[in-house]
Amino acid sequence: MLAMCDGEHNFASPAFLPQHRAILRELIGAGLAFRCPRGFTGSAPVILGAHWSVTGRCNLKCRHCYMNAPEGQAELPLAAMERIVKALCESGATGVKLTGGEPLIRKDFFLLIDLITENGLAVTNIYTNATLIDDRVLAQFEQAGVHPVFHVSFDGVGAHEIMRNVPGAEANTLRGIRCLLEAGYTVTVATSVDENVLPTLEKTYELMREMGVHAWGMARPMAAGCGKKLDRIGDERFAQACEAVLLRWKQDGKPFTLGLEAFYSEAVTPDMHRVIRPIEQKRYSCSGCRQYPHITHKGDLLPCACYAETEYGGLFGNLPKDGWQKAWNNPTLRKTMDVTLEEVYQANPECRSCVYLPQCRTGCRVNAVLYGNGLTGLDTLTCGIFHGGLRERFASIGGQA
């Protein structure tokens, strides 16, 4: 089995029996082998995977769309998508998280799924508005042999269509969520909160609990794309609404995993409040973008999606054109992705003595850029939440997971 760990053998093939796969798991657990895509020739993966926007097109017209153009965006042909898959194989990535636009709007979506899986990459997550989900589509997922986690956007009972600007969007999204749950898929729901959505949160909580979703999270839209035009709800006002949800969720026995922007996360809270890793100045400020960078609908390789809306947009490498090595070593990608904690300390001496530093870990770099503080500047949004006592307040209510 170890001799077959060469990046070429397909262990999903019927030629490999359950006992072979059991041995393979032992080899991986012992550190003698690691998962890799077909044809990988490196000594270790560079990234774990990617958030891949497989299309810029969408069937909704969301008022908070980070891409700034819900209509008329392009998508690459399948031949260019194949070059991206090959680039990901060269990186050693083992899986992709597909997003858009609306990924299911691609007419060749399942041909793309086949292309991805045939090259040894897993489709682990799909981000969708769920309006195109039905039994026929789910049968195609079954035929393709993939069973991803579905992340569905739903913006509040009675408010969803205000955010999405298409009649019938709320009913269609809820139908899609129910269809996924009935088929046995893991479904997490994300709610973007503005003035219209804020009053609906408790009713939306009831609906999420009734439907049996696996996780529900909410956040205010990022100041990118169409989101720049929205008035951001203040921290304390948003916190009061989130607190009401948290109390009800706790009273009901925590029926699903809950995330309340940066205030509280059932999954994250123990790491943030109980097991705090020591700060190492030479560590990178953001590890997430180095593990799962973003690929735009044009094939550009970015640290995360919102960098497209910054001064750095348009300066990154393009995977179909440049290939993996050139895109990964693009100077703009390296500048934005390789920011260390030490660089942020030097730019913001007040961080050194901040009691919240072990928890916030200098915050989010793209937030700092979007709000005008520069790549190594303060993430004032995160600073406000910590210094306002909101993390501690919510942890005391929600408790440890």
Side-chain angles (χ1 to χ4, degrees):
M1 289 298 293
L2 187 57
M4 293 178 184
C5 296
D6 57 2
E8 291 295 338
H9 284 81
N10 178 11
F11 291 103
S13 164
F16 290 91
L17 301 177
Q19 57 262 42
H20 296 138
R21 297 190 185 97
I23 294 171
L24 180 62
R25 286 194 294 272
E26 289 184 25
L27 293 174
I28 293 173
L32 298 173
F34 58 85
R35 282 181 53 90
C36 69
R38 183 172 294 281
F40 178 62
T41 58
S43 58
V46 181
I47 60 174
L48 299 180
H51 293 271
W52 186 4
S53 179
V54 297
T55 181
R57 299 189 303 120
C58 190
N59 57 338
L60 301 182
K61 305 174 183 178
C62 306
R63 62 199 302 261
H64 59 299
C65 176
Y66 74 87
M67 297 180 74
N68 204 30
E71 294 183 277
Q73 290 279 11
E75 64 185 28
L76 294 172
L78 196 60
M81 303 298 269
E82 183 173 8
R83 291 195 290 274
I84 293 176
V85 170
K86 296 300 183 185
L88 287 169
C89 288
E90 188 177 348
S91 77
T94 58
V96 288
K97 304 177 181 184
L98 304 184
T99 183
E102 169 52 47
L104 292 172
I105 208 169
R106 281 192 74 108
K107 293 181 179 179
D108 59 2
F109 179 77
F110 285 98
L111 291 176
L112 176 60
I113 292 288
D114 290 341
L115 176 64
I116 292 168
T117 57
E118 286 167 3
N119 279 274
L121 294 162
V123 178
T124 59
N125 303 72
I126 292 179
Y127 295 78
T128 175
N129 59 42
T131 59
L132 302 177
I133 297 288
D134 57 22
D135 290 339
R136 179 186 61 83
V137 169
L138 292 183
Q140 288 178 284
F141 275 108
E142 187 71 22
Q143 185 177 359
V146 295
H147 199 88
V149 174
F150 282 89
H151 303 259
V152 180
S153 303
F154 177 71
D155 296 329
V157 174
H160 186 66
E161 288 176 21
I162 299 174
M163 291 292 277
R164 304 291 167 164
N165 284 314
V166 171
E170 182 163 334
N172 289 334
T173 293
L174 293 177
R175 174 189 50 75
I177 292 174
R178 289 191 172 97
C179 194
L180 288 166
L181 290 168
E182 289 170 4
Y185 286 93
T186 298
V187 177
T188 76
V189 176
T191 297
S192 294
V193 184
D194 75 345
E195 290 286 352
N196 300 291
V197 179
L198 191 68
T200 76
L201 292 182
E202 292 194 61
K203 284 185 179 179
T204 305
Y205 165 81
E206 291 286 351
L207 179 61
M208 296 298 105
R209 186 171 67 90
E210 176 262 315
M211 288 198 299
V213 303
H214 298 85
W216 179 44
M218 65 187 74
R220 293 163 288 185
M222 293 282 286
C226 298
K228 291 178 180 177
K229 304 172 187 175
L230 300 180
D231 291 330
R232 183 178 174 86
I233 299 168
D235 283 350
E236 181 55 38
R237 189 154 164 257
F238 185 46
Q240 288 176 9
C242 289
E243 188 173 316
V245 170
L246 182 62
L247 287 167
R248 180 62 188 278
W249 171 78
K250 187 177 180 181
Q251 175 187 332
D252 290 342
K254 302 182 178 182
F256 45 70
T257 299
L258 181 67
L260 303 172
E261 204 183 76
F263 302 151
Y264 180 86
S265 168
E266 185 185 14
V268 172
T269 297
D271 290 336
M272 298 292 279
H273 292 273
R274 187 175 60 204
V275 184
I276 299 175
R277 294 176 299 166
I279 290 289
E280 300 173 21
Q281 292 189 26
K282 295 191 182 298
R283 291 181 66 93
Y284 294 111
S285 179
C286 177
S287 60
C289 70
R290 300 181 63 81
Q291 296 173 342
Y292 286 92
H294 181 78
I295 304 171
T296 72
H297 66 288
K298 298 177 181 178
D300 294 341
L301 184 64
L302 279 61
C304 69
C306 287
Y307 272 101
E309 282 292 307
T310 70
E311 63 197 79
Y312 303 105
L315 300 176
F316 295 96
N318 180 268
L319 288 172
K321 177 184 174 183
D322 299 333
W324 171 253
Q325 288 297 332
K326 187 174 179 181
W328 180 250
N329 292 294
N330 171 276
T332 303
L333 184 68
R334 298 273 54 87
K335 178 178 180 179
T336 52
M337 189 178 277
D338 293 350
V339 176
T340 64
L341 295 173
E342 185 175 18
E343 290 177 276
V344 181
Y345 292 161
Q346 290 177 351
N348 308 280
E350 60 270 41
C351 287
R352 293 181 180 274
S353 58
C354 179
V355 296
Y356 298 110
L357 181 63
Q359 297 169 6
C360 87
R361 311 189 77 81
T362 74
C364 172
R365 294 301 91 218
V366 77
N367 261 352
V369 175
L370 287 171
Y371 286 90
N373 297 324
L375 189 61
T376 59
L378 289 175
D379 172 4
T380 49
L381 294 182
T382 301
C383 283
I385 288 170
F386 276 98
H387 285 279
L390 294 172
R391 286 287 305 206
E392 294 170 340
R393 170 175 152 189
F394 275 75
S396 68
I397 298 171
Q400 306 298 337

